[in-house]
Amino acid sequence: MSLVIGLLGWLFLIIVTTDFLITTAGTNDSSPIAIRVARTAFRLFRRLPDTDIKHKIIGPLVVATVATWWILSVNLSWAMIFYGITGSVVDQSSGLSASPVGFISHVGHLLSTVGGGTTSPATSTISLLGVVVGVNGMVVLTLGVSFVMATTQTVVHGRKLLLYLHASQDDNLMLLKDLAGLTAELNAAPFALFFSHQDPEMRVPERLTEVFAHRLDDAETDWAHLARALPYFRQYSGPDVSSKLQEWLRDFSARHMP
């Protein structure tokens, strides 16, 4: 039974690691699992009362939920792997094999690289495997921080463009270039779409939808082509770009949807 659990741990680790790498380092809107976790959390959090506080915290809450999914999943995967190796981790005080909670605690200390746990590896081979876990923890930390920074920077760039749109006269050529740049950034960091703002004029999904909707009939510029490049836009099956925009907005607006 322990061997089966260990093999399942390896499988789970591969799945979680693949999801983590594609989401944080893939530079596109692909995300096998994390985006589903984020969308579920987003739908739950936007049910909160429609106050300024909700719009300030909903983005960080969604990112924190995804980070929690990765951390807990990696921890559980390695704990299952160690558990699958008989007698791999022992209690320091008794010398007996660690309990299931002890395995999770042992891996947690390895991933965080803080040490100080009440368990220890039984052999030098297991100790070496613990080094791999520590390196895994550093990779998760490093790429996780880069992921958060890229997401927040994209949010800031989007709000910067919204301020520009609000303050300047209509210039379709400059606007097209700026929107193309923001769309590319959103595809590289799509979790920025889950961030909102207490000022409705600074909410990126809402304002992007409004900007595109007002220009879809422009015969001189193919604004629809740019709208179709928005993250996850291809998933919607409306009869035209305008209806697809509304479906897209419905999924990424922080306002509570009935």
Side-chain angles (χ1 to χ4, degrees), residues 12 23 57 67 73 92 97 106 125 128 149 158 175 184 187 225 247:
F12 195 24
T23 304
I57 67 173
S73 298
Q92 290 181 358
S97 180
H106 182 76
T125 301
L128 183 61
M149 289 184 64
L175 177 60
N187 275 278
H225 176 76
E247 292 180 47

Side-chain angles (χ1 to χ4, degrees), residues 133-155:
V133 178
V135 172
N136 191 179
M138 288 188 286
V139 170
V140 170
L141 175 62
T142 303
L143 288 180
V145 170
S146 299
F147 166 74
V148 172
M149 289 184 64
T151 299
T152 54
Q153 286 175 356
T154 300
V155 174

Side-chain angles (χ1 to χ4, degrees), residues 4 8 16 19 21 36 44 63 82 129 131 152 179 198 224 229:
V4 174
L8 288 175
V16 175
D19 177 61
L21 291 176
R36 291 170 172 80
L44 291 174
V63 171
F82 278 102
L129 184 60
V131 174
T152 54
L179 282 178
Q198 63 270 25

Side-chain angles (χ1 to χ4, degrees), residues 160-224:
K160 177 182 176 182
L161 174 57
L162 297 185
L163 283 172
Y164 166 77
L165 290 176
H166 190 70
S168 71
Q169 297 296 320
D170 200 1
D171 183 344
N172 278 346
L173 181 58
M174 289 301 298
L175 177 60
L176 181 63
K177 292 180 179 179
D178 290 337
L179 282 178
L182 178 59
T183 300
E185 286 189 65
L186 287 173
N187 275 278
F191 284 68
L193 293 170
F194 297 115
F195 283 72
S196 188
H197 195 278
Q198 63 270 25
D199 181 356
E201 293 296 318
M202 298 294 286
R203 297 171 188 171
V204 175
E206 283 90 337
R207 292 289 283 123
L208 278 182
T209 302
E210 181 182 329
V211 169
F212 282 124
H214 288 167
R215 290 167 172 81
L216 289 177
D217 295 331
D218 185 353
E220 296 182 1
T221 306
D222 189 3
W223 292 93

Side-chain angles (χ1 to χ4, degrees), residues 108-121:
H109 282 90
L110 292 174
L111 285 171
S112 63
T113 67
V114 299
T118 60
T119 54
S120 58

Side-chain angles (χ1 to χ4, degrees), residues 40-103:
T40 300
F42 186 69
R43 293 189 187 103
L44 291 174
F45 291 136
R46 75 178 177 185
R47 291 179 178 272
L48 295 170
D50 199 27
T51 62
D52 289 351
I53 293 178
K54 182 186 84 169
H55 290 282
K56 290 179 180 179
I57 67 173
I58 190 167
L61 285 176
V62 170
V63 171
T65 301
V66 173
T68 301
W69 141 252
W70 283 326
I71 293 169
L72 293 181
S73 298
V74 171
N75 190 312
L76 180 61
S77 298
W78 279 111
M80 292 170 66
I81 291 169
F82 278 102
Y83 188 83
I85 305 173
T86 304
S88 59
V89 178
V90 297
D91 188 276
Q92 290 181 358
S93 58
S94 66
L96 300 175
S97 180
S99 66
V101 174
F103 279 95

